[in-house]
């Protein structure tokens, strides 16, 4: 049969004895041949440490300047947390799909500049075009990534260069023209961000969703295409990442007391990706925590407020670089201890895309008895010595008859 011939001709992964073509569809990590579920205990353990850090820094901030956690100062702090949170969600979404979007920082700055210039036309009239352009830019980036099948970081870096050209057309800071005050709805904004971050982490822990979102993650040769479904999911993630970055820029511009500076915004990219990695999102894609994004954003925001209260000066490059360095260590921790346990007995998933497949699955091959039964091979014939042939003794001697 064709299926059996395909299995016979396919290469076999040495660690599991399963054909490599089957492993690519069955396991989360086909190159390792690891059946079973990822372990989330490592994420929960790290998130406990993040919670302890947020609590400690919050107490230190209260001791240094309690006014920061009261009234308008608290509302401004919450809005700044949501702005950084949206940017972190944008970076984390692209990281989970293994196509990191390095253009989130420049996109946020460009959206902030647009809102600062057009804010006097109303919130909808100023934010709507910015979000629309961001969606189109994200779509162009997604097509470049999934059609050409090139690394997301490289394509998004090229896109970031184009956005920086747009930013550098302004030579001076731009005053915000609108009168929108996000501080009046700071509590709702924070609750919405927290709900999205936590629900996203919880849904990402479901095996089928995690495999679907992280399907673009390479398993053998990174230049090999990962299928139509992987391309579609990655495209939606890149578009959503770019839109979230634009919304973050608008929120940060409306929350800031001063003008919007036309800088390239790559420091925001470093900060956003660093915070996403710090929260437990793997730099390789697919794996991520439950509450890590919310806690990491809170940790960095409270630290920045505490540093300001103490008179310390740390720019985004410094904070983002430290967060990125620690986040890479967290990635190694997640990838090492988040894998399925060795020798897992979980039943592998059927070949295909799991819950997103059409329902047709190939039955597993079962061992069958040989039919008809194989007969025992006959013994090899023994060589015959011609000089011991009985004919030499029993046949009549014709030469004797001739003599008679």
């Amino acid at each position: 049969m064709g299926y059996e011939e395909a299995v016979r001709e396919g290469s076999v992964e040495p660690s599991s004895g399963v054909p490599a073509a089957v492993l690519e569809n069955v396991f989360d990590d086909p190159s390792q041949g690891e059946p079973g579920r990822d372990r989330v205990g490592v994420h929960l353990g790290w998130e406990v440490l993040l919670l302890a850090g947020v609590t400690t820094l919050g107490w230190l901030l209260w001791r240094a300047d309690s006014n920061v956690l009261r009234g308008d100062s608290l509302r401004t702090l919450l809005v700044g947390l949501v702005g950084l949170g949206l940017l972190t969600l944008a970076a984390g979404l692209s990281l989970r799909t293994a196509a990191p979007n390095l253009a989130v920082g420049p996109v946020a700055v460009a959206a902030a500049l647009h809102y600062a210039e057009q804010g006097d036309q109303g919130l909808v009239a100023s934010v709507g075009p910015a979000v629309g352009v961001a969606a189109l830019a994200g779509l162009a980036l997604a097509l470049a990534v999934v059609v050409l099948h090139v690394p997301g970081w490289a394509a998004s870096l090229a896109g970031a260069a184009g956005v920086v050209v747009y930013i550098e057309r302004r030579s001076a800071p731009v005053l915000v023209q609108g009168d929108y005050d996000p501080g009046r709805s700071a509590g709702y904004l924070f609750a919405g961000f927290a709900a999205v971050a936590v629900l996203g982490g919880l849904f990402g822990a479901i095996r089928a969703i995690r495999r679907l979102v992280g399907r673009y993650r390479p398993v053998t040769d990174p230049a090999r295409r990962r299928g139509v479904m992987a391309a579609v999911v990655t495209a939606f993630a890149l578009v959503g990442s770019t839109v979230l970055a634009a919304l973050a820029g608008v929120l940060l511009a409306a929350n800031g007391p001063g003008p919007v500076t036309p800088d390239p915004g790559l420091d925001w990219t470093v900060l956003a990706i660093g915070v996403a990695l710090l929260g437990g999102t793997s730099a390789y894609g697919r794996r991520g925590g439950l509450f890590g994004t919310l806690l990491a954003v809170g940790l960095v925001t409270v630290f920045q407020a505490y540093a300001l209260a103490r008179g310390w000066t740390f720019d985004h490059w410094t904070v983002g670089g430290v967060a990125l360095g620690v986040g890479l260590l967290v990635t190694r921790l997640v990838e090492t201890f988040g894998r399925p346990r060795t020798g897992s007995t979980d039943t592998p998933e059927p070949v295909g895309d799991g819950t997103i497949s059409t329902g047709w699955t190939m039955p597993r091959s079962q061992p069958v008895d040989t039919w008809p039964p194989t007969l025992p091979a006959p013994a090899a014939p023994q060589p015959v010595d011609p000089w011991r042939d009985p004919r030499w003794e029993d046949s009549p001697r014709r030469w004797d008859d001739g003599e008679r």
Side-chain angles (χ1 to χ4, degrees), residues 155-341:
S156 61
L157 189 60
V163 179
V164 170
V165 172
Y166 167 80
I167 293 173
E168 290 181 342
R169 294 175 57 187
R170 294 157 180 80
S171 57
V174 180
L175 290 173
V176 179
Q177 303 299 318
D179 56 356
Y180 169 64
D181 182 14
R184 291 176 295 185
S185 55
Y188 297 104
L189 291 174
F190 175 75
F193 160 69
V196 171
V198 173
L199 289 177
L202 292 176
F203 278 109
I206 301 174
R207 187 181 188 188
I209 297 178
R210 188 190 68 247
R211 291 185 68 242
L212 175 63
V213 172
R215 194 168 179 81
Y216 201 74
R217 169 173 168 160
V219 293
T220 52
D221 183 357
R224 290 183 56 186
R225 297 182 183 274
R226 297 288 290 139
V228 176
M229 185 56 64
V232 171
V233 173
T234 303
F236 275 107
L238 288 174
V239 173
S241 174
T242 310
V243 170
L244 285 174
L247 292 175
V250 171
L251 197 60
L252 292 173
N255 188 53
V260 179
T261 305
D263 53 33
L266 291 177
D267 54 342
W268 283 104
T269 296
V270 173
L271 181 61
I273 293 182
V275 175
L277 295 179
L278 185 65
T281 303
S282 174
Y284 295 102
R286 190 166 65 80
R287 291 188 170 97
L290 304 179
F291 310 96
T293 298
L294 176 62
L295 293 175
V297 171
L299 180 69
V300 172
T301 302
V302 175
F303 171 76
Q304 289 177 324
Y306 176 69
L308 184 63
R310 295 295 301 269
W312 302 339
T313 303
F314 296 105
D315 57 7
H316 292 155
W317 287 108
T318 303
V319 178
V322 173
L324 189 59
V326 178
L328 292 177
L329 297 178
V330 176
T331 289
R332 185 68 270 157
L333 185 71
V334 166
E335 291 292 335
T336 301
F337 298 102
R339 295 180 179 275
R341 291 182 176 86

